[in-house]
Amino acid sequence: MSESNVILPALRSIEMNLLWFVLASALVALAYGMYIAWKVLKAPQGSKEMIEVAQAIQEGSSAYLSRQFKVMGIFIALITVLLYIIYAPLYPNNALLPIGISIAFLLGSFASAGAGYVGMSLAVRANVRVANAALTSFKNALEIAFQAGSVSGMFTVGLGLLGATIIFLIFRQDAMKVLIGFGFGGCLVALFMRIGGGIYTKAADVGADLVGKVEKNIPEDDPRNAAVIADNVGDNVGDCAGMAADVFESYEVTLVAAIILGAATLADKGFQAIYGTAAALMALKLIIYPLLVRSVGVFASIIGTLSVRGKDTEEIGDPMKPINFGFWVAAIVSIIGFMTVNFFYLKDPKTGAPDWRFSLATFVGIVLAVVIEQITNYYTHTEHAPVKETSYASKSGPATIILTGFGLAQESSVWSILAIAATIFASYTIFGGNIALSAYGVALAGLGLLTTTGFILAMDTFGPISDNANGIFEMSGALKGKGSRAEMIVSRLDAVGNTTKALTKGFAIATAVIAAIALFRSFITEGGLVSTGIQINETNVFIGLLIGGAVPFLFSSFLIKAVSKAAFLVVEEVRRQFREIPGIMERKNKPEYFKCVDIVTTAAQKELIGPAILAIFTPVAVGFTFGIAALGGYLVGSILVGQLLAVLLANSGAIWDNAKKAIELGLHGGKGSEAHKASVIGDTVGDPFKDTAGPAINPLIKVMNLVAIIITPLILRDFPIGIKIPIVGICLALIVLATWLNKRGSLTGE
């Protein structure tokens, strides 16, 4: 029996009251986010010149998202209809469920897009306020940047929890069937926003750096560079809007996976043997518990963000210290919170005593978050050996800095996957080998990892806000006559922002894998593979495994090539303006900034469709061609390879970027030196790695898992060959189209 056939008891008054509490906590998150936004917007913006630069960034960011939402809207509308067509025959006696799944998909899509839009909207208004604050105070600049980032975090948490709770209140014990649509909507939008935003930001960044820093030897964000506005816009559409949508879907999918697996325990004979007549009631508690953990996370994140405080001292401190302190506060409050929930709610029905295994499994996720934080911080922070070694390698040129950083990133990927493996092993050990509860424990680890989502996303958005503040300084000339202290403040904030962005990418990748493993268990149950397992010695299964392992490589290839093509166009446009517009270098005339903005906006929209097609239709083709077990092999291959590749790409880019930052802060000759030029090359290579391809693999893994779960009932119906062939043919044609779309506009024209 699969979880889609599980019949849960009606919600009792205690569950209904708890759901209302969860709903209230979601509203608290949104209210706190609005309060912080109001507080940030009260801060002064600075000079007229600074405001003009900030407004240009705001306009470019809004224009890009508007075009991207139009492209996404077509896909969302088609899939909404398709979901109804798929699920209507599966629930012939309950017409509301297929409608609910389709509407939940829409809600998830809108919530994911909304989380990204809100976070970006405040970030592009906070950047100028951070720059202005840095003229006089490290403390104020740090706190404004982090508070602005927390708005994105709180809206992500609030919208995610609000949507899930409303679905529960409407559909009650059938909610876990509808939530699959909500999670899929969040994942799909995150995929689009990660792809489009990633291509935009890194095409602009690479193009700006290669001409400005390398050819013209002018500073980053110099107003004489025609790509500088596009570069600053890209920080927001990629690292703010894209990451917010990414973290939203990680937040939502781990919740959905835990709820689905909580319901699935009732279909397990071992679980029924443990709890007897109380099994249904216990399963209901396991469904409500993840929502309560998320509710605890709201208050933990609020307390954590309030704990981030800077100090104005003669020597500018490390911004990472107060941020780390806030993270630890949020983590400790989370632990106290979910243990309290466990004590009062998750009691053994037979003994009446709290069953501490569930909070212990959730705690394992907190431990994983700390381990990922330590691994990423060690490999990407400017004060640790890997970045120092990589920056030192720049003394002999671009080749050695690239080789050193790439090798260290490969090493970091190993430790990350071992940490995830240890987490899974711990979850299985805690529940003593019971398969259903152990799978649920893995999902709880994912919940624990993202308990402090509001704080984690604040860390991420802090990065592009600080980066933009640095750009506004340079473009507006605000530092003239102000001394070097203000420049040092934003440089420190910017460098730490690279580390915090790398940290959140590490969290997102880890949760992608944990959520995918939890969803994979749901797929195994739904596909009737519990008793047989997935036999990789079978030819079809092994073929599926190979294809699944190959897809993350093809997917990342699409994205990196897209950045390369768009960056080439930006380079040519910037060179043209330097040639044809007299007086740019002498500051007598301004460049045509929005020419570059238009180039990267158009390129991002053109390259958006192919990777999305690959993610959606490849698992469909494998499932209908080779069968349900082969589709399981496909998912295994994609999860394993996707995790290793995502960490490699994310950390290599962060290492190269911070190696450059370390040199700019004075190492090995500082700005303008040969070592600095070499580090710029390393940074430009790493840009599409860490901000385009690497992060986009997170939603890719989860989209493919959710697509597999959605199509499993259709594959099990064993359609005749006359129906299968057209389905597979359409999928293959679309995959070929995706490949063609990626190859058009090649640099050689071939």
Side-chain angles (χ1 to χ4, degrees), residues 11-22:
L11 298 180
R12 303 173 300 169
S13 60
I14 184 173
E15 276 78 31
M16 290 301 298
N17 289 334
L18 288 172
L19 285 175
W20 286 113
F21 169 74
V22 174

Side-chain angles (χ1 to χ4, degrees), residues 130 133 172 225-227 344 493 502 691 696:
V130 173
R172 308 292 176 93
N225 191 328
F344 286 106
L493 294 177
D691 291 325

Side-chain angles (χ1 to χ4, degrees), residues 36-37 40-41 117-127 147-148 151:
I36 291 297
V40 168
L41 293 176
Y117 181 78
V118 169
M120 187 204 75
S121 295
L122 192 70
V124 296
R125 287 164 175 80
N127 50 20
Q147 287 171 358
V151 173

Side-chain angles (χ1 to χ4, degrees), residues 722-744:
I723 295 178
K724 284 185 177 180
I725 287 177
I727 292 174
V728 173
I730 291 170
C731 291
L732 292 177
L734 287 169
I735 294 168
V736 170
L737 173 65
T739 306
W740 176 81
L741 288 172
N742 182 253
K743 289 185 177 296
R744 66 178 173 167

Side-chain angles (χ1 to χ4, degrees), residues 89 94 103 140 150 157 165 227 234 241 245 257 276 290 304 400 438 486 553 603 639 697:
N94 191 342
I103 293 175
N140 290 343
S150 69
V157 170
T165 310
T400 47
S438 297
F553 276 94
I639 292 169
I697 292 175

Side-chain angles (χ1 to χ4, degrees), residues 23 26 107 111 157-168 179 182 252:
L23 183 68
L107 285 175
V157 170
L159 290 172
L161 203 51
L162 184 66
T165 310
I166 289 173
I167 289 171
F168 251 96
L179 279 169
F182 191 66
E252 208 53 53

